[in-house]
Amino acid sequence: MGTATARNGSTATAWRNWAGNVTATPTRVVTPASVGELQEAVRRAAEDGLRVKAVGTGHSFTAAAATDGVLVRPQALTGIRSVDRAAGTVTVAAGTALKDLNRALAAEGLSLTNMGDIMEQTVSGATSTGTHGTGRDSASIAAQIRALELVTADGELLTCSEKENPEVFAAARVGIGALGVVTAITFAVEPLFFLTAREEPMGFDRVTAEFEEHFAENEHFEFYWFPHTGNCNTKRNNRSQGPAAPPGPVSAWVEDELLSNGLFQAVNTLGRAVPATIPSIARVASRALSARTYTDIPYKVFTSPRRVRFVEMEYALPRESVVEALRELRAMVDRSGLRISFPVEVRTAPADDIALSTASGRDTAYIAVHMYKGTPYQAYFTAAERIFTAHGGRPHWGKVHTRDAEYFSRIYPRFGEFTALRDRLDPDRVFGNDYLRRVLGA
């Protein structure tokens, strides 16, 4: 990690994302203690001719937050501002980690309706890139936003909702950092409920043949396919009356710590060193999982620890295309010399009304491919991306992809709406960087 001397005389440390595949050396780093300080930092950066990017916990695999200008760390802008039980909403500062929000809501007897499978990210970082879980009826975290605050390029604070600045609200819920710095988010919440999770190994041919059936019968359905095998692990999450019946300590340790973290780390390290061992490891690992059922409050069922570092690509496809695309992916892996040690993840989301949401305007299914950190991933991701784009896929804004503005203008009907709004809110590209130039155009 190198350093650079900031213009104000302090030293700015090079920033690196969670996966270690993106680095940046900003001119200066600011940690505003208030929204007013953030507004002043944006104004000063614009006066100095510097670009501004806010960074969360670095869980994006793209350079969406990278900058050589002013890097804003929002860790002092945290906590729940207010809870409105009558409206069913909670307003939270943008730097709050999802894990802290989930725990605080649970203590209030409340919960988000749906969430992704990890909760390390900040609420603004997760929503700005379109982070999602899986759901038949309930959509991404951003789709649960009811209002947000945004510091724009001139340092003004804009409040957005369906009633106030609705055109900004339609875009800024998944804004990729292009429209301003989000300072607070108001989420829809509901009374705390129980989910019963049923995990079950299942053959690839069966789960793909029955995909629509599993999707229709479950509130939250997802599965993982282990490359080089015909084995999958399925997970169905459905609401239940309770009471809580979490996995026993031995089961939880075996599944979540040994198989998903400790042993998984070891076998990936072996696979990176000796790729020829990967197919055999995959067959053993995919057979080690067993069926289990447990019940708990939502965040304890939806999320799990992920300490094995990796690089990821994920594409959103029309739901009716996902099985065909997955079968094509399997055929590609089988005929290639690739050795893939990470499972492939398949999830779903209903259509939403956010301009650049990956589920904007269409019922969606996601295919995510991963490679262990430090393992060459380009050949695998390039071949997978070729399959996904042939089906009109939309890449996750925070995960590895090679698409550009010309491509997005074809697959997002409201792309022009977003870029026109960006031209109005940030004509001088105070919030620009190389990644946004590629995906949104100059």
Side-chain angles (χ1 to χ4, degrees), residues 57-333:
T57 55
H59 273 75
S60 287
F61 302 94
T62 64
T67 186
D68 57 3
V70 177
L71 191 73
V72 177
R73 290 190 171 276
Q75 61 253 45
L77 302 175
T78 60
I80 290 179
R81 286 192 185 178
S82 63
V83 176
D84 187 333
R85 293 181 182 275
T89 61
V90 59
T91 300
V92 59
T96 307
L98 282 167
K99 61 185 177 184
D100 296 330
L101 172 61
N102 286 333
R103 290 165 184 157
L105 286 175
E108 295 281 345
L110 299 169
S111 178
L112 295 170
T113 298
N114 198 357
M115 59 194 77
D117 57 9
I118 64 169
M119 54 179 186
E120 301 302 314
Q121 313 100 309
T122 62
V123 294
S124 56
T127 55
S128 293
T129 54
T131 296
H132 61 91
T134 190
R136 180 188 62 204
D137 310 306
S138 54
S140 70
I141 305 174
Q144 298 169 68
I145 295 176
R146 295 294 173 266
L148 58 83
E149 287 179 3
L150 189 74
V151 173
T152 56
D154 56 6
E156 295 302 308
L157 186 65
L158 205 61
T159 303
C160 313
S161 66
E162 288 184 347
K163 295 180 179 178
E164 194 172 1
N165 296 302
E167 76 289 352
V168 180
F169 182 68
R173 284 171 286 169
V174 179
I176 337 172
L179 304 177
V181 179
V182 175
T183 56
I185 297 173
T186 299
F187 289 105
V189 292
E190 59 176 301
L192 195 64
F193 56 94
F194 287 110
L195 285 172
T196 292
R198 180 183 170 197
E199 298 177 6
E200 180 186 4
M202 192 176 293
F204 181 94
D205 293 336
R206 179 185 166 193
V207 75
T208 52
E210 298 176 355
F211 175 73
E212 279 297 322
E213 183 182 321
H214 293 304
F215 166 79
E217 290 177 353
N218 296 280
E219 292 172 76
H220 309 274
F221 175 69
E222 63 185 308
F223 70 95
Y224 301 83
W225 164 59
F226 294 82
H228 313 296
T229 80
N231 303 327
C232 297
N233 197 42
T234 64
K235 185 177 182 183
R236 307 166 175 88
N237 297 330
N238 290 288
R239 295 191 184 216
S240 71
Q241 294 301 308
V250 174
S251 170
W253 183 82
V254 169
E255 296 284 340
D256 298 328
E257 293 302 322
L258 179 62
L259 293 178
S260 298
N261 287 296
L263 181 61
F264 196 50
Q265 176 86 50
V267 298
N268 272 280
T269 302
L270 173 62
R272 183 173 63 190
V274 190
T277 63
I278 287 175
S280 298
I281 290 170
R283 286 189 289 272
V284 172
S286 63
R287 287 197 295 264
L289 296 167
S290 57
R292 62 172 180 165
T293 300
Y294 53 95
T295 300
D296 217 324
I297 59 175
Y299 83 83
K300 294 184 179 181
V301 173
F302 283 131
T303 71
S304 55
R306 290 283 186 271
R307 285 185 288 279
V308 180
R309 302 207 178 200
F310 53 85
V311 179
E312 180 179 1
M313 168 185 283
E314 181 180 60
Y315 264 75
L317 309 178
R319 201 182 75 234
E320 63 271 16
S321 300
V322 72
V323 168
E324 182 182 351
L326 189 64
R327 287 171 176 157
E328 291 172 8
L329 184 70
R330 182 184 182 184
M332 179 275 291
V333 170

